[in-house]
Amino acid sequence: MIPVIHAVTDDLVLGRPDFLERARGVMRALGPRGALHLRGHLHPAARIYELAVALRPLQERTGCWVVVNDRVDAALAAGARGAQLTSRSITVGDARRIAPALALGASVHAAGEACVAADAGADWVVAGHVWATPSHEGTPGRGLALVTAVTAAAHVPCIAIGGVRPARMAALLDAGAHGVAAISGIWGASDAERAAIDYLSTYDTHRGG
């Protein structure tokens, strides 16, 4: 099953000296229903690979996925569960050919993009950004209509990203999202592990779990 809570990093998060400690706490909190995305455009592939290798033992113990953004080679070499492909990455089709067993996600901004990614072999799509977010400063969100359109058009799970807080999860799930992804909502909290638990418990409350 595709995880329902995706904790996505950025360069600031990865650069913290206590990142691995915080990441392990988030992975323990989310367990097999969560994924930790190693995403950092300014960090070299060698550093991303190093972090993925460090987190791989916890991936095995907790079931929480380690997902490497952009770099399929680093994901494969480190033993990560998946890779998240963006406009910076090779195509989903090319990634599927070289990594047939790797779980693949694709970042999309429209229903048409989601269909193309799913047809090429993506296991899930991350659709965004839904609401205004610091990671896309000055760019308005695409709204719930994006989630509705993507879930109606694509035959793979849709993960909503962009300004997602626990209080907004019910609307996203009602719009058809399989789950959500968060950056500042988790890593910006003083206790990232507690924040991850809040996302998961909110999901369970809405789903009746």
Side-chain angles (χ1 to χ4, degrees):
M1 177 181 176
I2 302 302
V4 296
I5 307 296
H6 295 241
V8 181
T9 68
D10 61 16
D11 286 296
L12 290 176
V13 172
L14 291 182
R16 287 184 52 149
D18 62 347
F19 169 68
L20 282 175
E21 178 184 351
R22 299 180 86 214
R24 291 181 178 114
V26 168
M27 291 178 71
R28 285 191 294 266
L30 295 178
R33 293 189 296 157
L36 189 149
H37 290 234
L38 294 172
R39 170 183 173 269
H41 301 323
L42 302 181
H43 281 68
R47 177 56 175 162
I48 299 296
Y49 166 77
E50 179 184 83
L51 292 171
V53 169
L55 294 172
R56 184 177 60 195
L58 207 62
Q59 175 181 253
E60 304 307 317
R61 289 200 297 271
T62 66
C64 183
W65 294 19
V66 173
V67 176
V68 176
N69 273 47
D70 292 326
R71 300 301 301 253
V72 175
D73 54 347
L76 283 171
R81 182 68 184 271
Q84 179 70 33
L85 304 174
T86 71
S87 59
R88 300 159 53 95
S89 315
I90 64 174
T91 67
V92 174
D94 288 339
R96 180 57 69 207
R97 281 189 289 275
I98 65 174
L102 193 67
L104 296 176
S107 298
V108 303
H109 307 96
E113 294 177 12
C115 288
V116 170
D119 290 344
D123 297 297
W124 72 90
V125 294
V126 173
H129 56 285
V130 179
W131 289 290
T133 173
S135 62
H136 292 81
E137 190 172 354
T139 305
R142 294 174 173 86
L144 289 172
L146 172 66
V147 177
T148 302
V150 166
T151 56
H155 55 81
V156 295
C158 171
I159 307 300
I161 192 170
V164 178
R165 295 292 189 270
R168 289 171 160 173
M169 285 177 62
L172 291 166
L173 297 175
D174 288 344
H178 171 77
V180 303
I183 303 174
S184 60
I186 291 177
W187 304 108
S190 58
D191 187 338
E193 182 174 353
R194 179 69 255 176
I197 291 171
D198 288 344
Y199 276 88
L200 195 56
S201 62
T202 301
Y203 176 92
D204 286 340
T205 297
H206 189 69
R207 289 295 196 222

